[in-house]
Amino acid sequence: MSHYLVELYSPNANWQALSTAQRQHFLQGIQAAMAPLSSMGVEVLALAETQPDIDQPSAHRFLGIWRFPDTALRDALLAGIRASGWYDYFDHINAASDTGGFEQHLTALATA
């Protein structure tokens, strides 16, 4: 069973206060930490800017969508994100789920 994580985030005032060199240094550390993830089975499905011209758009500027083979890897990524200081620089929310289908989802909605 696959497990998913969706992140929505926007730069905050702390990020805006960093110099270009400080931002690059921080992002280089993030890039180095992310490099080995694919060999562990972590898949990046999307890392992109959100599209504001849709019905009911999120106010967040960026999104990340990830797929994991197990929750332990998902939780390890989340711990790494926290430890990196990411949440100090971005207003960020996470949503996680397991694999699900339309019928399962309708049943969950009906009993919510």
Side-chain angles (χ1 to χ4, degrees):
M1 172 186 300
S2 293
H3 305 273
Y4 297 89
L5 173 68
V6 177
E7 307 172 281
L8 292 168
Y9 51 97
S10 297
N12 64 26
N14 293 334
W15 182 256
Q16 300 297 328
L18 294 178
S19 69
T20 300
Q22 289 170 315
R23 289 181 188 184
Q24 287 301 322
H25 177 74
F26 180 78
L27 293 173
Q28 287 169 353
I30 297 295
Q31 185 174 12
M34 296 295 150
L37 292 178
S38 64
S39 67
M40 293 185 264
V42 176
E43 296 177 71
V44 175
L45 301 179
L47 290 172
E49 290 193 60
T50 59
Q51 297 177 352
D53 56 346
I54 62 168
D55 191 32
Q56 300 292 317
S58 170
H60 290 90
R61 186 167 170 195
F62 298 96
L63 71 83
I65 305 173
W66 304 78
R67 181 173 29 217
F68 304 87
D70 57 54
T71 57
L73 278 172
R74 181 201 64 209
D75 294 346
L77 175 69
L78 288 169
I81 290 169
R82 178 175 297 284
S84 76
W86 183 267
Y87 299 140
D88 296 334
Y89 297 119
F90 296 91
D91 296 329
H92 189 112
I93 61 170
N94 294 313
S97 74
D98 297 333
T99 299
F102 192 66
E103 291 300 321
Q104 178 185 6
H105 185 62
L106 291 179
T107 300
L109 289 173
T111 60

